[in-house]
Amino acid sequence: MEPVNDQFLEFHPIHGVNIRLDHSGTQATRVESFANGVCFSKDPLKPGEIFLIEIEDKELGWCGHLRVGLTSRDPRSLEAVPEYSIPDLTDSGDSWVFAITRNHNKIIESEEAPGAEDGAAGGRRLGGGEAEDGGGEGGTNMKPKTFFTDTHLYIENFRIPRDKLVGRSRPGRFSHILDDLYKTNALPPMARRSRIGVLFVPKGPELGDMHIVINGEDMGASAKGIPTIQPLYAVVDVFAATKCVRIVQVEYGFASLQTLCRKAIQKHIVHRMAIDWLALPEALKHYCKYE
């Protein structure tokens, strides 16, 4: 397996004019309108490193949802951050961004993928990403029928801990039902608490494929043959119905003491709501329930 060194991921201080970052640089909130919510990762991604975000808040009344992808354009080189990631960034030929839609963005590959097109910068797009809805007869609405049992998600030669990839509901009356729906990726991917990530994997000399991961499920190579000679930054467009997102830190190597404590506690309870009954510090209860 290819090693991926842990690093603390943040949003870039350069972002859309309607975005406000929190003090840690890990939460992005669109404070006005429905657009001008384009954000970037602070640092370029390493091969196999996932930029994972969770949808924290939604805003009713807008049509359209979160968009994620990659760009080889350094945010510092922008004269102004584009109003939209699609098409403002994608039309430039050095960015690959897709709307997260109800059909889960699953890529069905064949010898001649329908709708495939060649990007100006050499990236082959296998999914349109512009349509907000889809599916139906012969569509791409592919959902797993069983719970995930593997501890890691494997993409090419990389493995990613699955426990951080799957969304979890806020503890409540129906959280045990919602958590199972997140695990099976049965909820719409734009739901609150859904976790969506983007990464690239090397595919030949100075080329790579971009993968989108939704609640622990690899959607396949959304774009193929992306040039990797230039650093690739993650793109997150907090667009329309999506109001606020936060970065979820992923541990690839040895788990932290905090993570080990959480796993040990959760192993010995029936459901995470039972954590409230334990004689533990409130901060530890909060961490065990919400992550």
Side-chain angles (χ1 to χ4, degrees):
M1 289 296 165
E2 294 284 345
V4 177
N5 296 325
D6 295 342
Q7 67 171 337
F8 188 77
L9 298 178
E10 302 174 58
F11 286 114
H12 204 287
I14 295 174
H15 49 69
V17 296
N18 285 337
I19 286 293
R20 299 293 180 271
L21 301 182
D22 72 344
H23 67 280
S24 69
T26 62
Q27 186 182 67
T29 304
R30 195 187 68 254
V31 295
E32 291 182 22
S33 184
F34 65 94
N36 282 303
V38 177
C39 304
F40 306 94
S41 59
K42 184 176 181 180
D43 300 301
L45 297 185
K46 302 169 185 175
E49 180 180 37
I50 189 169
F51 193 84
L52 182 67
I53 58 98
E54 179 175 284
I55 297 177
E56 287 275 281
D57 199 9
K58 305 292 292 295
E59 186 172 24
L60 299 177
W62 299 116
C63 179
H65 302 281
L66 182 76
R67 298 164 173 187
V68 300
L70 298 171
T71 182
S72 60
R73 184 177 301 188
D74 189 329
R76 295 171 298 181
S77 69
L78 295 171
E79 294 183 6
V81 177
E83 184 176 6
Y84 306 100
S85 59
I86 303 173
D88 296 353
L89 272 178
T90 54
D91 281 356
S92 65
D94 55 8
S95 303
W96 303 267
V97 183
F98 291 81
I100 304 303
T101 66
R102 286 184 174 84
N103 64 22
H104 283 211
N105 300 75
K106 189 75 174 182
I107 301 301
I108 307 300
E109 295 195 45
S110 61
E111 292 184 2
E112 292 184 8
E117 58 187 56
D118 294 326
R124 182 183 174 209
R125 298 167 59 86
L126 295 184
E130 288 77 9
E132 294 297 337
D133 295 296
E137 196 72 26
T140 57
N141 193 4
M142 304 290 290
K143 300 176 184 177
K145 297 180 179 179
T146 58
F147 293 130
F148 292 121
T149 55
D150 293 338
T151 58
H152 290 77
L153 173 67
Y154 295 86
I155 302 178
E156 299 293 341
N157 292 327
F158 298 94
R159 68 175 193 169
I160 308 168
R162 195 184 292 278
D163 66 328
K164 284 297 185 77
L165 298 179
V166 181
R168 299 171 69 92
S169 65
R170 292 295 188 189
R173 184 177 179 183
F174 301 106
S175 60
H176 62 293
I177 299 175
L178 290 172
D179 287 350
D180 287 344
L181 294 176
Y182 283 118
K183 287 179 182 178
T184 54
N185 211 0
L187 286 174
M190 311 83 61
R192 286 185 179 87
R193 312 266 76 83
S194 279
R195 293 186 175 182
I196 296 146
V198 62
L199 71 154
F200 75 94
V201 294
K203 299 290 287 188
E206 299 180 348
L207 293 175
D209 291 353
M210 183 182 83
H211 287 248
I212 292 175
V213 176
I214 300 177
N215 285 322
E217 183 183 1
D218 175 22
M219 297 292 109
S222 301
K224 287 192 168 186
I226 294 175
T228 58
I229 188 170
Q230 297 292 333
L232 292 172
Y233 294 81
V235 179
V236 177
D237 190 352
V238 187
F239 179 71
T242 303
K243 177 75 171 177
C244 177
V245 300
R246 72 175 178 91
I247 298 172
V248 179
Q249 307 296 333
V250 177
E251 298 169 330
Y252 297 91
F254 293 107
S256 66
L257 180 59
Q258 193 177 35
T259 299
L260 293 174
C261 287
R262 175 172 57 84
K263 288 184 176 180
I265 292 169
Q266 291 178 342
K267 182 179 179 180
H268 292 90
I269 59 174
V270 176
H271 184 263
R272 62 192 173 113
M273 292 300 293
I275 291 173
D276 285 329
W277 306 335
L278 302 178
L280 296 172
E282 288 300 319
L284 183 54
K285 289 182 182 180
H286 185 277
Y287 178 76
C288 289
K289 289 190 297 183
Y290 283 72
E291 282 298 321

